[in-house]
Amino acid sequence: MKNLQPVPAKKFKKSAVISLEKGKLPPQALDLEEAVLGAMMIDKKGVDDVIDILHPEVFYKETHQHIYEAIYTLFQNSEPTDLLTVANQLRKTGNLELVGGDFYLVGLTQKVSSSAHIEFHARIILQKYIQRKLISISAEIIEEAYDETVDVFDLLDDAETKLFEVTQGNLKKGSEDAQGLVSQAIKKIQEISNKQGMSGVATGFNRLDELTSGWQPSDLVILAARPGMGKTAFVMSMAKNMAIDFDTPVAIFSLEMSSVQLITRMISSETGISSGKLRKGNLEPHEWEQLNVKVKNLSKAPIFIDDTPSLSIFDLRAKARRLASQHGIKVIVIDYLQLMTAGSSSGGNREQEISTISRNLKALAKELAIPVIALSQLSRAVETRGGSKRPLLSDLRESGAIEQDADIVSFIFRPEYYGLTEWDDEERTPCEGQAEFIVAKHRNGGLENIRLKFTGHLAQFSNLDEDFGNEFHSKMNSAISAGNMTSPQDAFGAPDNLDDGDVPF
């Protein structure tokens, strides 16, 4: 009978959690921590150079955390920071013996002779901290990913939130000197002169572009109105102008309407076929031909629509970054702000949540250096107010932070919505088929009420040709004088019958 040999044990690969938690020394730079703390205690300039870069948690050694905390407290109180004052501050908090007493502090000051290169050293310490933080977050995500009771979308949201907090809390931009900034400004002015004064993204609305020179990079633009005024119709008309007329890539985040509904509005505006007919599919043969021909420009336009409902600000940032890197988007449109959420980590009431959202939208605009246009609702105070019911800044709903964070706050006002037939100006001009784009706050420019044409059955905003009446009379008089017409129809042709019975929306 053969002797049975023991079966060797199988070798299993270590799990990701084990490799992250055991057997590896966390990233650290203790020698640099000692050098930075020593330099801060012997040279005031060292404190000034790194106090806005570091915070106590970035130090790996707990002893160093307590010492830096003492230095930071002295700096906040505008007190001198040297060996004696730091020791005294540690004594007040009861941490002097914990860090090793005066002997340890003296040892730190003896390790360096000046604060030269202290900022470079501090940034290495910060890098090590970020590495440790990423390892910790990754380990937590791995552990939660194995938990079947955790919702996967909550897990994604939580992961993005934690990573976003690391970025926001530690990656800070330094200041720039005047020489570099002046050269950048002159270069930008030269570029603007080549674009005939259009320094931003053109909207296709002439008077608006003249006022703003286009939507400017890093600007947060708020467009507010009561429901039914045409907020979505305006931004879709604007997006169509940008993408088709100026070949500008546009990203639209729609939290209210589906992507197919939005593109159908654009098709209606581009083809001139009423949205009612498109919804019903009740098109004449020539309209089908018109649809197939005119929709080609729209199908090639660089427009990207995301209709994720209840989008969080963290999801928006992640999606926007991807669109910016992959497709080079130049404008972001959000429809609309009050439907967004601040994420699972948000606390407090709705007003605080809206404040968080608006603040992060401004940060996103600065980060990507593109304009962010966010639609917003107005309060019911507009409806109860007498007079023309023209909206005011105080009507912005749920948070004053929206007005504070925005570079431009604008409103859409259509008198027809309230049954008015005339504008409230001195001439009492008719307001049928017209709207007013009100620039109520403009951080870098003037304020103005700009009148636009509104075509309800196409859900379309366009330029209001104020000189059309003068041009009409001039052309008609010239034709009559030349004896080439007997009626106005001979000069302009019979008007098309555009009334298909559809109700504007």
Side-chain angles (χ1 to χ4, degrees):
M1 185 175 180
K2 295 181 179 181
N3 294 329
L4 296 176
Q5 300 294 328
V7 179
K10 291 184 180 180
K11 295 182 179 179
F12 294 96
K13 293 182 179 179
K14 292 182 179 180
S15 68
V17 177
I18 293 175
S19 65
L20 286 171
E21 294 181 350
K22 297 180 180 179
K24 289 187 178 181
L25 189 67
Q28 56 185 280
L30 293 180
D31 53 341
L32 293 181
E33 290 185 9
E34 293 172 350
V36 166
L37 291 173
M40 293 178 79
M41 285 189 286
I42 66 172
D43 190 350
K44 182 181 182 301
K45 182 178 178 297
V47 178
D48 297 334
D49 286 346
V50 302
I51 200 70
D52 62 335
I53 299 174
L54 303 177
H55 51 88
E57 290 78 13
V58 306
F59 291 89
Y60 178 73
K61 195 172 181 180
E62 186 179 356
T63 295
H64 296 163
Q65 292 180 9
H66 291 307
I67 296 172
Y68 183 82
E69 192 171 4
I71 295 173
Y72 190 81
T73 301
L74 291 169
F75 177 83
Q76 282 186 315
N77 296 334
S78 301
E79 297 177 7
T81 53
D82 55 34
L83 179 62
L84 297 177
T85 56
V86 172
N88 185 58
Q89 179 62 31
L90 287 167
R91 191 175 291 107
K92 285 181 181 178
T93 57
N95 292 325
L96 182 59
E97 297 303 320
L98 185 64
V99 303
D102 294 322
F103 178 78
Y104 188 79
L105 296 179
V106 172
L108 291 178
T109 59
Q110 292 177 342
K111 290 181 180 291
V112 291
S113 58
S114 72
S115 63
H117 313 301
I118 187 173
E119 183 178 349
F120 183 77
H121 297 159
R123 294 198 181 278
I124 295 176
I125 294 172
L126 181 62
Q127 290 172 17
K128 299 299 181 183
Y129 166 73
I130 293 174
Q131 288 178 277
R132 296 196 301 272
K133 197 69 176 174
L134 290 174
I135 291 171
S136 175
I137 292 171
S138 300
E140 291 175 12
I141 294 171
I142 291 171
E143 185 176 352
E144 291 176 359
Y146 280 109
D147 188 350
E148 296 291 343
T149 63
V150 178
D151 184 85
V152 67
F153 295 106
D154 288 341
L155 179 60
L156 280 171
D157 187 50
D158 187 49
E160 285 194 355
T161 301
K162 289 176 179 177
L163 291 172
F164 174 71
E165 288 173 352
V166 172
T167 303
Q168 289 293 98
N170 298 286
L171 300 184
K172 300 175 182 178
K173 184 179 178 182
S175 57
E176 300 179 66
D177 60 17
Q179 183 178 0
L181 292 172
V182 168
S183 62
Q184 290 180 37
I186 292 175
K187 183 179 179 181
K188 185 175 181 181
I189 292 169
Q190 291 172 343
E191 292 174 354
I192 295 170
S193 66
N194 297 331
K195 296 179 182 178
Q196 298 180 338
M198 189 60 61
S199 58
V201 179
T203 66
F205 300 112
N206 299 334
R207 289 183 59 190
L208 179 58
D209 287 337
E210 289 174 7
L211 178 67
T212 63
S213 296
W215 298 134
Q216 299 298 308
S218 76
D219 272 6
L220 173 59
V221 180
I222 298 295
L223 174 58
R226 287 293 296 158
M229 278 290 171
K231 297 187 298 297
T232 304
F234 177 84
V235 293
M236 296 311 289
S237 298
M238 181 179 64
K240 181 181 72 69
N241 294 343
M242 291 174 172
I244 295 178
D245 298 341
F246 305 107
D247 197 32
T248 302
V250 182
I252 302 171
F253 293 91
S254 175
L255 289 82
E256 186 176 30
M257 298 177 64
S258 71
S259 54
V260 175
Q261 287 175 320
L262 290 179
I263 207 69
T264 302
R265 282 196 172 194
M266 284 191 169
I267 292 172
S268 173
S269 177
E270 181 68 8
T271 61
I273 301 173
S274 73
S275 53
K277 282 193 171 185
L278 292 175
R279 283 198 302 269
K280 299 172 185 175
N282 185 23
L283 273 62
E284 301 294 333
H286 73 277
E287 290 175 323
W288 281 111
E289 184 177 352
Q290 182 179 344
L291 176 65
N292 293 326
V293 171
K294 290 191 175 183
V295 81
K296 290 180 180 178
N297 288 335
L298 182 59
S299 63
K300 298 176 183 177
I303 298 173
F304 306 91
I305 302 177
D306 186 309
D307 60 359
T308 305
S310 301
L311 190 67
S312 74
I313 185 62
F314 306 106
D315 291 336
L316 173 68
R317 290 178 71 101
K319 290 172 181 282
R321 287 193 196 101
R322 285 195 293 270
L323 286 169
S325 62
Q326 295 174 7
H327 303 288
I329 58 168
K330 300 300 181 185
V331 182
I332 293 175
V333 177
I334 300 162
D335 184 14
Y336 58 92
L337 189 148
Q338 277 81 9
L339 291 179
M340 292 188 67
T341 64
S344 58
S345 63
S346 63
N349 56 33
R350 181 59 178 166
E351 183 174 340
Q352 292 172 331
E353 191 174 16
I354 292 294
S355 299
T356 300
I357 293 169
S358 66
R359 185 170 60 252
N360 280 280
L361 288 179
K362 175 59 182 176
L364 177 63
K366 290 188 68 176
E367 177 187 343
L368 300 181
I370 62 176
V372 173
I373 303 165
L375 275 57
S376 177
Q377 293 281 22
L378 291 177
S379 68
R380 294 182 181 272
V382 180
E383 312 289 348
T384 59
R385 190 166 54 237
S388 68
K389 299 187 185 298
R390 188 177 273 103
L392 305 171
L393 286 171
S394 57
D395 296 325
L396 282 172
R397 187 174 172 184
E398 288 184 314
S399 177
I402 297 176
E403 177 187 348
Q404 177 183 331
D405 295 327
D407 297 279
I408 295 177
V409 178
S410 56
F411 304 112
I412 289 180
F413 173 60
R414 289 194 299 112
E416 279 187 295
Y417 181 85
Y418 297 108
L420 304 175
T421 59
E422 296 178 335
W423 289 106
D424 55 349
D425 52 18
E426 294 181 0
E427 295 81 10
R428 309 301 296 181
T429 53
C431 61
E432 183 181 358
Q434 296 181 24
E436 204 169 51
F437 186 88
I438 303 169
V439 180
K441 176 191 174 182
H442 191 185
R443 184 165 286 161
N444 301 306
L447 309 179
E448 191 174 343
N449 295 351
I450 299 169
R451 290 183 186 173
L452 300 171
K453 180 181 178 181
F454 177 69
T455 308
H457 66 281
L458 299 179
Q460 179 189 55
F461 283 81
S462 56
N463 289 303
L464 180 63
D465 191 355
E466 296 176 337
D467 296 324
F468 176 78
N470 296 331
E471 181 184 345
F472 179 92
H473 291 297
S474 175
K475 188 173 181 180
M476 185 171 65
N477 291 335
S478 298
I480 292 173
S481 299
N484 295 330
M485 61 164 280
T486 57
S487 68
Q489 283 76 12
D490 293 332
F492 294 93
D496 294 330
N497 182 14
L498 298 178
D499 185 10
D500 58 8
D502 289 313
V503 178
F505 68 100

